[in-house]
Amino acid sequence: MRIHLNLEECLGYGNCVVEAPDLFDLDEDTNKAIVLIENPDDGQLEEARAAVRSCPAAALRLER
Amino acid sequence: MSRSERVLIVGASVAGVSVAEELREQGFNGEIVLLSDEDCEPYDRPPLSKQFLAGTLPAGRQSLALRDSGWYEKNNVCLRLSTKAAKVTTDILGVRTADDEHFPADHVVIATGASARTLPGWSGLPGVLVLRTLRDADVLAACLERGPGRLVVLGAGFIGLEVATAAADAGWVVQVLERADAPLSRVLPPALGRLCVEGAVGHNVQIDYSMDVLEPAGGDIVQEVRLRDGRTFPADLIVLGVGVVPNTGWLEGSGLECHDGVVCDGSGRTTEPRVWAVGDVARWPNSVTEQHIRVEQWQTARDHGRIVAGAISQCTSTEPLDLPVWDTAPYFWSDLFGRKVQLSGHASPDMNSVITRTGKRVVAVLGDDRLRAVLAIDHPRAIAVGRRLLSRGATFSEGVEWAKGAASASPKPAGRVANAVTPETLTTPPQAL
Ligand SMILES: Cc1cc2nc3c(=O)[nH]c(=O)nc-3n(C[C@H](O)[C@H](O)[C@H](O)COP(=O)(O)OP(=O)(O)OC[C@H]3O[C@@H](n4cnc5c(N)ncnc54)[C@H](O)[C@@H]3O)c2cc1C
Ligand code: SF4
């Protein structure tokens, strides 16, 4: 699974960082999310899903 | 799982849509019907007081859509707009609408959210607005565009303060009048509330406390706000930001237990079997906060949706029930005067609090003997860690120890170093009530 971030839609809420701090960060200068790990391993999938659910801007997707 | 099962969801906002989405994700292949009394496709509320008013949504109004238009059909979710539910029927389980149409169902999910509270004497007056719906936001945005003028916001809660920020940034002269003696006083101890609104001055927003506002004195258009002590504040526009009330009126006589929301168990089940409630309208126990209250937050609505979808899926299977429960610390965010304020856990004004700050980053912990809540400004990573502490039931002193390092810790993951400043720690005793 691959994490896809639509930077256009990202509103910089940082919810993804709250849910999955190992997978995401927030760029303080642009106030946009950064994907730290694009291809989460199996152990990180639950966290990745929670991050996708938490994004109010629907800017995150998990793709096969 | 039987194909003929029908889940009827009343209210199509973040909680209701989450139930539908999670049902499909968890493999439910029965019928899903979503009723909404609004006339537009489901949209998201948090941006209404932020990017929508500021005009900075990446794709304009389209960015507000909860799911794109094709989503409902693609997922075989029947969305019925402009359909107001009037009653839950329990003889034949289902919902009767205001137009007297009856929708039978195997499960009913109540997701009717909340409405903006009004103040006696103020509601419906021209020039007096609230902000809860997209329609409210359109009216408010149009009024602000006609400005700049003088805006008076009644109530220094999150939404009132966000509106104040947007209006001030658009050139309005903004006065916030709060009855309590501190901002955000329903949730936070005074020192923490004041910390959250530090940016107000820089944004030209004047906030005054202990303001005893009188009912408007007749006249068609309100041109000023009058206080009991005789002071007046001129206003071209007034916004009431005085909280919300759960939309439970339509459930009267349904036999469901309601007081300040629909009372549910930890899986979202109401006192009626196969009737569930989610989001702002629902009162669930949370095993981390040990509270059984309504939580008026976006992420909570999302969590409720996932849990109820899981519970319904379980009920339709023949296995013995092992229903999922709400066992994560709730959290929410707000944009106040250009700063990102995030809070996780359950905070209340009478808690002990310790604040640490490094430059613009702030981390605060709240609690009694236990750590009860973590607040961060411009530091989402701290909320991520704080939530873990909350989940494992950390003591307040453990929280304090952590907070001392957290504000100065790099916001970036290990490896990237921020220019750390010595944190300045400030302890606040509980407020005398
Ligand atoms: C301006 C604004 C800013 C916000 N900002 C934040 C934020 O930054 N962070 C955060 O965490 N939260 C924020 N919130 C709160 C968040 O939006 C709510 O917690 C969330 O919308 C709750 O979702 P819900 O689906 O439970 O209820 P609602 O969003 O209230 O939706 C309920 C829906 O049910 C419909 N309905 C009601 N009665 C009936 C009926 N009888 N029949 C049919 N339909 C009915 C309503 O019209 C509505 O469409 C904000 C809210 C507002 C208004
Ligand atoms: S949660 Fe969504 S909007 Fe917020 S920072 Fe992450 S990607 Fe961006």
Side-chain angles (χ1 to χ4, degrees):
Chain A
M1 295 289 251
R2 193 176 148 266
I3 296 174
H4 180 86
L5 163 67
N6 181 341
L7 270 184
E8 288 273 291
E9 288 292 333
C10 173
L11 296 173
Y13 288 128
N15 291 4
C16 50
V17 184
V18 174
E19 292 288 351
D22 309 321
L23 307 182
F24 296 93
D25 202 6
L26 201 62
D27 186 320
E28 287 195 3
D29 302 324
T30 59
N31 196 33
K32 299 269 184 189
I34 305 169
V35 182
L36 299 173
I37 298 179
E38 266 206 358
N39 298 294
D41 58 38
D42 286 352
Q44 294 167 320
L45 266 188
E46 220 16 75
E47 223 186 303
R49 289 210 181 89
V52 171
R53 272 199 300 272
S54 76
C55 175
L60 294 174
R61 271 202 325 272
L62 261 181
E63 290 170 348
R64 263 173 218 293
Chain B
M1 192 176 305
S2 140
R3 258 173 202 285
S4 57
E5 292 267 326
R6 178 197 257 184
V7 177
L8 183 72
I9 304 165
V10 186
S13 180
V14 57
V17 170
S18 296
V19 174
E21 179 173 45
E22 295 283 340
L23 275 171
R24 287 295 180 236
E25 239 164 56
Q26 299 181 26
F28 174 81
N29 51 15
E31 223 184 305
I32 301 177
V33 181
L34 254 177
L35 304 185
S36 171
D37 65 353
E38 296 195 72
D39 57 6
C40 54
E41 282 202 350
Y43 56 89
D44 212 13
R45 290 174 211 276
L48 295 180
S49 49
K50 309 176 181 73
Q51 299 86 351
F52 181 80
L53 288 185
T56 56
L57 282 173
R61 291 177 85 82
Q62 247 182 325
S63 293
L64 291 174
L66 263 182
R67 294 291 169 266
D68 55 51
S69 293
W71 183 89
Y72 302 91
E73 211 187 310
K74 204 173 112 202
N75 287 280
N76 196 15
V77 172
C78 170
L79 175 64
R80 287 274 304 254
L81 299 177
S82 306
T83 308
K84 195 176 176 69
K87 193 176 175 16
V88 170
T89 57
T90 46
D91 42 350
I92 299 173
L93 185 67
V95 164
R96 191 169 296 286
T97 68
D99 298 331
D100 215 22
E101 196 177 348
H102 188 249
F103 290 85
D106 299 286
H107 292 271
V108 172
V109 184
I110 296 161
T112 46
S115 301
R117 186 190 294 278
T118 57
L119 293 172
W122 289 92
S123 74
L125 296 177
V128 179
L129 307 180
V130 294
L131 178 55
R132 180 72 192 179
T133 65
L134 180 53
R135 186 167 303 190
D136 294 338
D138 275 328
V139 174
L140 178 56
C143 287
L144 290 179
E145 233 159 72
R146 267 184 257 134
R150 289 156 308 183
L151 168 69
V152 174
V153 177
L154 300 187
F158 285 103
I159 291 180
L161 292 172
E162 287 184 351
V163 170
T165 309
D169 289 351
W172 283 65
V173 176
V174 183
Q175 171 73 53
V176 180
L177 301 175
E178 167 60 49
R179 194 171 54 174
D181 58 5
L184 307 166
S185 60
R186 239 169 15 110
V187 250
L188 295 178
L192 272 179
R194 281 193 288 272
L195 187 76
C196 291
V197 302
E198 267 176 2
V201 181
H203 278 255
N204 280 322
V205 172
Q206 177 64 38
I207 314 178
D208 287 300
Y209 304 103
S210 307
M211 297 281 117
D212 197 357
V213 170
L214 286 179
E215 274 182 39
D220 285 343
I221 296 180
V222 188
Q223 283 169 322
E224 62 180 21
V225 175
R226 194 176 282 276
L227 302 187
R228 194 164 302 280
D229 63 14
R231 272 181 290 171
T232 57
F233 294 87
D236 301 302
L237 189 65
I238 295 167
V239 171
L240 306 182
V242 291
V244 299
V245 283
N247 292 326
T248 49
W250 68 285
L251 295 168
E252 258 163 48
S254 63
L256 300 177
E257 187 183 341
C258 295
H259 39 259
D260 189 38
V262 183
V263 180
C264 296
D265 69 11
S267 306
R269 216 175 358 193
T270 67
T271 45
E272 199 56 54
R274 292 183 297 139
V275 180
W276 313 78
V278 288
D280 279 16
V281 75
R283 261 178 74 178
W284 291 40
N286 176 286
S287 62
V288 177
T289 62
E290 299 176 327
Q291 299 288 317
H292 193 167
I293 52 174
R294 285 190 315 109
V295 178
E296 302 153 2
Q297 301 168 0
W298 192 94
Q299 185 61 36
T300 290
R302 250 346 229 147
D303 285 345
H304 286 178
R306 175 175 48 83
I307 294 161
V308 160
I312 290 177
S313 302
Q314 290 251 346
C315 289
T316 56
S317 75
T318 48
E319 302 292 309
L321 295 185
D322 178 19
L323 300 186
V325 292
W326 192 26
D327 58 4
T328 49
Y331 73 90
F332 90 106
W333 70 95
S334 173
D335 283 349
L336 293 181
F337 310 108
R339 296 151 92 212
K340 200 183 308 297
V341 176
Q342 289 170 304
L343 179 93
S344 181
H346 170 75
S348 80
D350 55 348
M351 285 176 179
N352 292 315
S353 62
V354 171
I355 301 167
T356 45
R357 52 198 307 170
T358 304
K360 68 179 188 124
R361 284 204 301 276
V362 178
V363 176
V365 286
L366 296 93
D368 33 50
D369 292 341
R370 279 260 304 271
L371 177 67
R372 297 290 175 188
V374 177
L375 179 133
I377 300 179
D378 289 329
H379 202 355
R381 193 159 283 279
I383 292 292
V385 182
R387 260 183 114 200
R388 289 177 188 171
L389 289 178
L390 289 166
S391 292
R392 71 163 174 80
T395 62
F396 185 63
S397 35
E398 282 177 302
V400 172
E401 273 315 301
W402 164 74
K404 282 181 186 159
S408 59
S410 162
K412 311 277 184 211
R416 288 192 254 171
V417 184
N419 29 341
V421 189
T422 322
E424 157 203 341
T425 305
L426 212 140
T427 309
T428 322
Q431 174 203 20
L433 280 180

